[in-house]
Amino acid sequence: MSLESLRNSLPDYARDLKLNLGSLASETVLTDQQRDGCFVVSALASRSPVVTSALVAEFGPKLSPEALTAAKAAAAIMGMNNIYYRFTHLVGGDYANMPARLRMNVMAKPGVDKVDFELWSISVSAINGCGMCLESHEKVVRQHGVTQEQVQAAVRIAAVVHAVAAVLDGEAAAVGAPAVAAAA
């Protein structure tokens, strides 16, 4: 499935999402790698087979093999970190002072420019709702010269991709079909 097919599978009430997908696909405030990686990580974080299939097929080939692997690694590591650090933030107490004792080696050597990996981590963290991770990664990218507009663009991609996944999964559930059938 292509990006255009994904857009066309959206119901009329989600017209704004269709328009936003189209405009964000050509977002110019991010580098091509940053934009394409934001789409890939957001699709993976959405957990929607239809959205993941379409967006990884559309944007994955535009990334180098190393960048695609790094994007997948960002989605994977942030999927874990967002749960853990959201817990330590919400519960409080001494948990935040305890060592996480979770492997996070990919963050030190992501295989792409650190700024791109951090920006992708923001997209995943926005979808997963981890305020602590959002603050941490936003601080890092801003220290490395990323503008507020670029951070906003990464989060806008995450927001739209997540909403598209929710709409398509909801539509599939409403008719009793598996989510994968929504785009067929």
Side-chain angles (χ1 to χ4, degrees), residues 99-132:
R101 293 180 30 200
L102 296 169
R103 301 263 184 219
M104 301 177 220
N105 296 328
V106 71
M107 295 183 82
K109 292 183 180 181
V112 293
D113 187 81
K114 179 85 167 146
V115 168
D116 292 358
F117 190 85
E118 293 284 331
L119 200 59
W120 299 340
S121 296
I122 289 172
S123 293
V124 176
S125 298
I127 289 172
N128 291 335
C130 181
M132 183 180 236

Side-chain angles (χ1 to χ4, degrees), residues 29 42 46 48 81 100 112 183:
V29 72
S42 297
S46 80
S48 168
N81 286 356
V112 293

Side-chain angles (χ1 to χ4, degrees), residues 38 54-55 62 66 90 108 136 140 147 183:
C38 283
L55 295 182
K62 297 176 182 179
E66 297 80 16
L90 292 173
S136 173
V140 170
T147 66

Side-chain angles (χ1 to χ4, degrees), residues 2 22 25 37 52 62 65 79 107 110 115 133 146 166-167 171 184:
S2 67
T52 300
K62 297 176 182 179
M107 295 183 82
V115 168
C133 292
V146 172
V167 165
E171 285 293 312

Side-chain angles (χ1 to χ4, degrees), residues 20-150:
N20 288 330
L21 264 180
S23 64
L24 288 169
S26 57
E27 174 65 65
T28 58
V29 72
L30 299 171
T31 67
D32 289 351
Q33 178 169 287
Q34 289 169 344
R35 181 198 59 230
D36 298 343
C38 283
F39 271 101
V40 168
V41 299
S42 297
L44 292 166
S46 80
R47 298 181 186 100
S48 168
V50 171
V51 171
T52 300
S53 175
L55 295 182
V56 171
E58 182 79 23
F59 295 99
K62 297 176 182 179
L63 295 168
S64 70
E66 297 80 16
L68 180 58
T69 298
K72 290 177 179 180
I77 197 73
M78 294 315 297
M80 175 186 72
N81 286 356
N82 292 158
I83 298 297
Y84 180 80
Y85 288 107
R86 186 171 58 218
F87 163 79
T88 64
H89 176 74
L90 292 173
V91 172
D94 290 332
Y95 293 109
N97 299 320
M98 297 170 69
R101 293 180 30 200
L102 296 169
R103 301 263 184 219
M104 301 177 220
N105 296 328
V106 71
M107 295 183 82
K109 292 183 180 181
V112 293
D113 187 81
K114 179 85 167 146
V115 168
D116 292 358
F117 190 85
E118 293 284 331
L119 200 59
W120 299 340
S121 296
I122 289 172
S123 293
V124 176
S125 298
I127 289 172
N128 291 335
C130 181
M132 183 180 236
C133 292
L134 283 166
E135 289 176 13
S136 173
H137 295 287
E138 191 267 352
K139 182 179 178 181
V140 170
V141 297
R142 297 284 288 135
Q143 289 173 341
H144 285 88
V146 172
T147 66
Q148 287 182 326
E149 290 78 13
Q150 289 172 301

Side-chain angles (χ1 to χ4, degrees), residues 9-11 13 48-50 164-184:
S9 70
L10 289 165
Y13 68 79
S48 168
V50 171
V164 167
V167 165
L168 293 179
D169 288 352
E171 285 293 312
V175 297
V180 233

